[in-house]
Amino acid sequence: MAKQQKRLGEILAEWKFLNPKEIDKALEHAKAKNLRIGEALIDLKMCNENQVAKALATQYGMEYIDLDKSSVPPNAINSIPDDIMRKHLILPLGMENGKLRVAIHDPLDLELLDILRFRLGKELRPVLAAKGRIKGYLDELFQTSAQNTIDKTMDKGWASLDKSLDKTLDKSLDKSLDKSVDKSIDIAGMGEDVMNDPTQAPIIKLVQAMIAEAVRNRASDIHIEPMKDRIRVRYRIDGECVERDKIPLRMKGPLTSRLKIMAGIDIAEKRLPQDGRIKLVIDKSQVDFRVSTLPAYHGESVVLRILRPDAVRIGLSHMGFEEEDYRVFQKIIKRPNGIFLVTGPTGSGKTTTLYGALNELNRPDKKIITAEDPVEYNFTGINQCQVRDAIGLSFSKILRAMLRQAPNIILVGEIRDLEVAEVAIQAALTGHLVFSTLHTNDAPGAITRLIDMGVKPFLVASSIQAVMAQRLIRTLCVKCKQPDHEPDEMWLRLVGIKPGDMKDKVLYKPRGCDNCTGTGFRGRIGIFEMMIMNNEIRDLAFNRAPTNKIRKAALAGGMKSLLLDGRLKVLNGITTAEEIVKVAQVDGVITDQ
């Protein structure tokens, strides 16, 4: 007969750390707070973490390690990627008899060990350590690692460089840092040569390394934010901000000044927001960066928007359209006149969708003119005009001038006010196909938004051909996604998936691998809500009907809501229900059926 496993409380009582009354009190606390007995003991301060971890090791027949700095061999730390160590609070302790010793804190987390075996391709020997000890060691390790990385890049010249950048921001500094810099700076040739050139200043190497890492990690933005005690660097990858190494506060001046110089903007002006552009070659591809500085409480915040030409040339067929929506979209963009609006919040991919449409329509027999603020991507064969409010070159002025250029297709970056809306509508009514964007939550809301701006209802009803709302969702990594046999019912209920919908369908969940840097997601696609203007919707617009009535009529006319489109993506194994809930309005679950 198998030997019965002792309970945790019994082991601690045998060791004279607890008495029976204390065990009963801990059990009641654990039940009330939904904790494990070990967590309850620590919470009530009856035992410390080390005592509980040692008892757990005895209970499950594992080796216990009283973790300290000498426990982790210097080379062992490279055995497991940083993101996995941080996420799961584990530590590699070196190889022993062909197995990797790994310090863990939860002996019941068997799934973690399976994940580690899969990702590392090694046999493991888990040992138990206190959770606080592991976390403390990792915190110190990554803080030290970040500092060492900075210190290696920023060598002994830091002191003099700090002073020269912070105290003597003048023309001589500009020349000393980058002799080739001027108002239209182009450092496209600055790549590996800069990193390997010992004569280059350390700050140049740091900025180049940071930018290159962001581009290689598929980031869309780099956020450099001065805090009270450090400079925080974050990359936005697939719409989510990921924090990178913290940079010491003393580098605030040099770092900001270097980026300003590269962007060709005034390094001495710290009180006003400024904008600039950078061109760089990263891995033999030219990448443009739109730079924005903003004075904040602890210093200037700098954001670099990474503009990749290939990002807007992915093709309409790869944007995430369902087959029926794709056919409808193709018909709409090939109409001879009218307005086609794309709506959604900032960062929802509106511009990418419109550029995709223009790219498909861009032929020698069509004249296309755009008015943008700013022009982010350059297209051969398209006349692109940039708004310059400082000199009076506004959207409305460019639009009026456009109409004298006899275009077939017009793109207006955004309808911001009544003047732009009226000129765009007049262009549509006089035989032009007009594309534009609008900031509304859904497609029907665009109708009431234009009328609220002051556009006459009959003009809205007669000029608009279709409105499409969209959002971007993260897609599961194709290399590591795994079937989700027990999906969370709450998320399924929120997106409106019923048990009957899952027949012959396999739902998937994220796992994490090197391809997706441990997140389980890689890349994004759109979910769409396409509202085609029919006679009923035109009548409602003409009579100033509220958005909910227009929405009801659009759904009755065949419009597929954002939530329904997202639901299809979940059932097709492209993403998760949780991702859809993040971006779609879940209050429409019942009405969208």
Side-chain angles (χ1 to χ4, degrees), residues 254-551:
L255 185 59
T256 306
S257 297
R258 175 61 193 164
L259 289 167
K260 283 183 172 184
I261 288 169
M262 291 171 71
I265 56 183
D266 186 358
I267 63 172
E269 180 55 77
K270 298 183 179 182
R271 301 164 300 167
L272 297 172
Q274 297 187 82
D275 295 297
R277 291 184 83 112
I278 298 172
K279 293 181 183 179
L280 273 175
V281 169
I282 307 290
D283 296 334
K284 298 181 181 178
S285 297
Q286 181 162 307
V287 183
D288 282 9
F289 301 83
R290 198 174 78 212
V291 183
S292 170
T293 68
L294 178 70
Y297 186 75
H298 293 294
E300 287 180 283
S301 171
V302 184
V303 176
L304 282 74
R305 167 65 62 88
I306 302 172
L307 308 172
R308 298 179 181 84
D310 56 336
V312 289
R313 294 190 173 95
I314 58 173
L316 292 175
S317 58
H318 297 99
M319 288 182 178
F321 286 107
E322 296 297 323
E323 192 174 337
E324 183 185 345
D325 283 343
Y326 181 67
R327 285 200 301 269
V328 172
F329 186 81
Q330 287 281 353
K331 286 181 183 177
I332 291 167
I333 65 174
K334 289 173 183 173
R335 289 184 180 180
N337 64 296
I339 292 182
F340 176 61
L341 291 174
V342 181
T343 75
T346 302
S348 58
K350 302 186 296 295
T351 304
T352 301
T353 299
L354 290 181
Y355 274 148
L358 290 187
N359 209 31
E360 195 145 315
L361 299 171
N362 186 15
R363 298 193 304 269
D365 61 326
K366 299 284 184 185
K367 175 153 184 172
I368 303 173
I369 306 180
T370 73
E372 303 170 61
D373 184 21
V375 173
E376 292 191 350
Y377 301 97
N378 183 251
F379 284 82
T380 304
I382 296 179
N383 301 276
Q384 295 172 271
C385 306
Q386 176 149 331
V387 172
R388 298 184 187 275
D389 288 320
I391 60 170
L393 188 61
S394 61
F395 270 121
S396 57
K397 188 166 282 189
I398 292 174
L399 267 171
R400 287 191 176 91
M402 275 182 185
L403 299 180
R404 295 193 289 272
Q405 296 272 316
N408 300 103
I409 300 164
I410 293 170
L411 181 143
V412 186
E414 182 186 345
I415 294 179
R416 296 177 177 175
D417 52 39
L418 175 60
E419 190 178 11
V420 175
E422 285 181 335
V423 179
I425 286 171
Q426 288 302 324
L429 294 174
T430 53
H432 302 88
L433 180 60
V434 180
F435 294 103
S436 192
T437 68
L438 201 62
H439 286 285
T440 60
N441 288 328
D442 57 6
I447 303 296
T448 50
R449 175 85 179 93
L450 288 170
I451 294 171
D452 288 344
M453 275 185 183
V455 180
K456 292 179 175 59
F458 75 90
L459 290 176
V460 174
S462 57
S463 63
I464 292 179
Q465 298 291 335
V467 183
M468 185 175 77
Q470 71 175 69
R471 301 289 190 279
L472 290 177
I473 55 164
R474 294 190 298 169
T475 56
L476 288 163
C477 174
V478 293
K479 292 194 176 180
C480 70
K481 68 178 183 180
Q482 58 185 18
D484 190 358
H485 299 299
E486 296 181 359
D488 191 319
E489 291 183 7
M490 180 191 76
W491 296 116
L492 296 182
R493 193 165 58 249
L494 285 172
V495 296
I497 295 178
K498 300 172 184 175
D501 298 332
M502 294 186 283
K503 289 179 181 177
D504 303 323
K505 296 284 185 181
V506 179
L507 302 188
Y508 287 86
K509 62 181 178 180
R511 180 168 184 168
C513 66
D514 292 335
N515 184 53
C516 59
T517 61
T519 62
F521 295 90
R522 184 178 173 92
R524 289 190 293 174
I525 60 169
I527 56 172
F528 304 94
E529 179 175 274
M530 182 83 73
M531 183 181 78
I532 309 298
M533 294 291 283
N534 55 31
N535 290 334
E536 185 182 359
I537 296 173
R538 292 187 196 281
D539 287 342
L540 289 170
F542 183 77
N543 292 311
R544 297 176 181 265
T547 303
N548 61 341
K549 285 191 176 180
I550 297 173
R551 182 171 186 79

Side-chain angles (χ1 to χ4, degrees), residues 117-272:
R117 288 188 188 99
F118 175 80
R119 286 200 63 179
L120 303 176
K122 296 175 183 175
E123 280 298 308
L124 304 177
R125 186 188 161 200
V127 299
L128 213 59
K131 183 177 180 179
R133 287 282 183 93
I134 297 175
K135 188 177 184 304
Y137 186 95
L138 288 174
D139 288 345
E140 187 176 344
L141 170 72
F142 290 117
Q143 187 175 359
T144 306
S145 173
Q147 187 61 49
N148 288 342
T149 302
I150 297 300
D151 289 343
K152 284 179 183 177
T153 309
M154 313 305 153
D155 56 17
K156 294 177 182 179
W158 259 124
S160 60
L161 182 64
D162 254 343
K163 291 175 184 175
S164 65
L165 281 166
D166 281 332
K167 296 180 182 178
T168 59
L169 296 173
D170 56 17
K171 293 180 181 178
S172 62
L173 169 65
D174 276 34
K175 292 176 182 176
S176 68
L177 276 177
D178 196 338
K179 295 179 182 178
S180 65
V181 175
D182 59 20
K183 290 291 179 183
S184 58
I185 183 166
D186 182 346
I187 46 175
M190 194 174 115
E192 294 300 319
D193 292 340
V194 170
M195 299 305 293
N196 296 326
D197 186 353
T199 64
Q200 290 289 354
I203 189 67
I204 297 177
K205 293 182 181 180
L206 172 68
V207 171
Q208 178 71 10
M210 181 174 64
I211 289 174
E213 183 192 29
V215 172
R216 288 165 188 152
N217 284 338
R218 302 177 298 105
S220 59
D221 302 272
I222 305 172
H223 298 263
I224 299 158
E225 303 156 324
M227 314 290 280
K228 183 180 179 181
D229 56 347
R230 69 186 193 281
I231 300 171
R232 182 169 67 174
V233 177
R234 295 190 290 175
Y235 302 154
R236 190 179 292 279
I237 302 172
D238 292 337
E240 302 279 328
C241 280
V242 179
E243 190 165 343
R244 303 304 296 162
D245 291 342
K246 300 174 185 68
I247 297 177
L249 193 62
R250 70 175 186 270
M251 293 169 57
K252 180 173 68 174
L255 185 59
T256 306
S257 297
R258 175 61 193 164
L259 289 167
K260 283 183 172 184
I261 288 169
M262 291 171 71
I265 56 183
D266 186 358
I267 63 172
E269 180 55 77
K270 298 183 179 182
R271 301 164 300 167
L272 297 172

